[in-house]
Amino acid sequence: MKKLLQIGCLLILAACGGGGGGSGRAPDNLDNACSILDQRPGYLRAFRAAERKWGVPVHVQMATIYQESKFISDARTPLRFSLGVIPIGRQSSAFGYSQALDATWKEYQQQEGGRRTRRDNIRDATDFMGWYMAETNRSLGISLADARNQYLAYHDGRTGYRRGSYRAKPWLVRISGEIEARAAMYQQQLVSCR
């Protein structure tokens, strides 16, 4: 009986898209910006378009996408399970390169992107990030080049950032420091591959 239950759960996972599929595959060597862009030339066009439109530097976008989805287009949050085996939904509605939540994506679509934009499209995802970070810059004064604080506001929302909710999350403060370091690394690498 236990074996049948496990097989049933696996079938449900497969039907829910839990496998990730080949279309969402990440580039190789995510520690090398030039390698990423060589493998996915469309990424650079998307990053540059968002940089021109919103002012968010390419390296900040890349570091944020690395943290959010590891460049996997159809990335989702993990499933939650009841009794350890019955899937009961995902941890959040975050999806795609930018891991935008449903409500925030809908707001972006209404204000800027249009209803045909998709979170698993790199151009739409980078435009979303640019839109979100530009508004963060306007409302909170965080520089568009400040990968650390832009990420804190991106993760906890602008209201959460304003309240300082990240201060109670040492793991998030650590991650934001890692993003800052990755952005600096990507920035240095991008000089030699542009």
Side-chain angles (χ1 to χ4, degrees), residues 3-82:
K3 187 104 171 150
L4 283 175
L5 186 58
Q6 288 174 334
I7 291 171
C9 288
L10 288 174
L11 289 173
I12 290 169
L13 280 174
C16 292
S23 65
R25 207 169 153 265
D28 298 325
N29 194 3
L30 297 180
D31 292 331
N32 186 311
C34 298
S35 175
I36 293 168
L37 300 177
D38 284 346
Q39 291 173 63
R40 306 286 198 284
Y43 283 12
L44 183 57
R45 289 189 293 276
F47 292 136
R48 284 184 175 160
E51 183 177 45
R52 281 190 304 273
K53 184 174 179 181
W54 302 107
V56 179
V58 170
H59 61 278
V60 173
Q61 295 175 60
M62 289 184 75
T64 303
I65 286 179
Y66 172 86
Q67 179 58 40
E68 290 297 284
S69 66
K70 303 294 187 277
F71 292 90
I72 298 171
S73 66
D74 58 356
R76 294 182 184 273
T77 57
L79 285 168
R80 293 178 299 151
F81 293 91
S82 176

Side-chain angles (χ1 to χ4, degrees), residues 20 32 42 47 53 73 82 87 101 136 150 180 188 191:
N32 186 311
F47 292 136
K53 184 174 179 181
S73 66
S82 176
L101 298 172
T136 297
Q150 278 287 350
E180 181 177 46
Q188 188 174 29
V191 171

